[in-house]
Amino acid sequence: MKWFIKCIKNYTVFKGRAVRPEFWYFALASAIIQISLLIIDIIIGWDVGIIDGIKTFPLFETSRLLLLVPSISVTVRRLHDINKNGWWSLLWGLPVIGWVILVLWLCKNGDEGENQFGLNPSL
């Protein structure tokens, strides 16, 4: 939980670097929270309606909205850790190929020592 809380506190920080555990534990905690809220929405039968043929669930959609900026922030900082510009996070918008490239990059070890985005946070 410490990584999740750290990301929530640093949601406006797009500079610096984020180590692998920070990114992946944030992603895991976010997924658990969102899946739990979706299950609660389904159990309660609390869907707002259908938009473009897809049911919308208020708790789930609210969690997605609240976690959007922290997710972007930690992704940018994680890319900085491997010496990539944060704009590469736009690859999420490119189905399959972009996702595969980003997941491979996000799994890489960070640069040892200092890079153009700052000191290694794990030191």
Side-chain angles (χ1 to χ4, degrees):
M1 272 318 265
K2 76 175 186 173
W3 294 114
F4 180 79
I5 292 169
K6 181 180 179 184
C7 289
I8 295 297
K9 287 181 180 178
N10 292 329
Y11 78 99
T12 60
V13 179
F14 290 86
K15 294 187 288 189
R17 297 165 61 175
V19 292
R20 273 190 306 180
E22 181 178 350
F23 175 82
W24 288 110
Y25 282 125
F26 177 79
L28 176 65
S30 295
I32 290 170
I33 290 168
Q34 290 179 348
I35 290 169
S36 300
L37 291 174
L38 180 61
I39 290 169
I40 291 170
D41 276 338
I42 291 170
I43 289 172
I44 293 173
W46 203 15
D47 60 74
V48 175
I50 298 176
I51 299 174
D52 293 331
I54 301 172
K55 282 188 173 186
T56 58
F57 299 96
L59 294 176
F60 173 69
E61 297 299 335
T62 302
S63 71
R64 286 180 59 195
L65 185 61
L66 290 175
L67 291 172
L68 178 64
V69 175
S71 297
I72 294 169
S73 171
V74 74
T75 302
V76 166
R77 286 185 280 118
R78 179 70 196 118
L79 287 170
H80 286 174
D81 194 39
I82 60 168
N83 209 20
K84 300 272 187 223
N85 194 304
W87 288 105
W88 283 107
S89 64
L90 294 175
L91 284 175
W92 285 126
L94 183 63
V96 184
I97 294 170
W99 303 341
V100 169
I101 291 169
L102 272 174
V103 168
L104 290 174
W105 283 349
L106 296 171
C107 289
K108 277 180 62 174
N109 281 328
D111 290 349
E112 294 296 323
E114 188 173 359
N115 69 15
Q116 68 177 347
F117 299 103
L119 293 171
N120 187 344
S122 63
L123 297 178

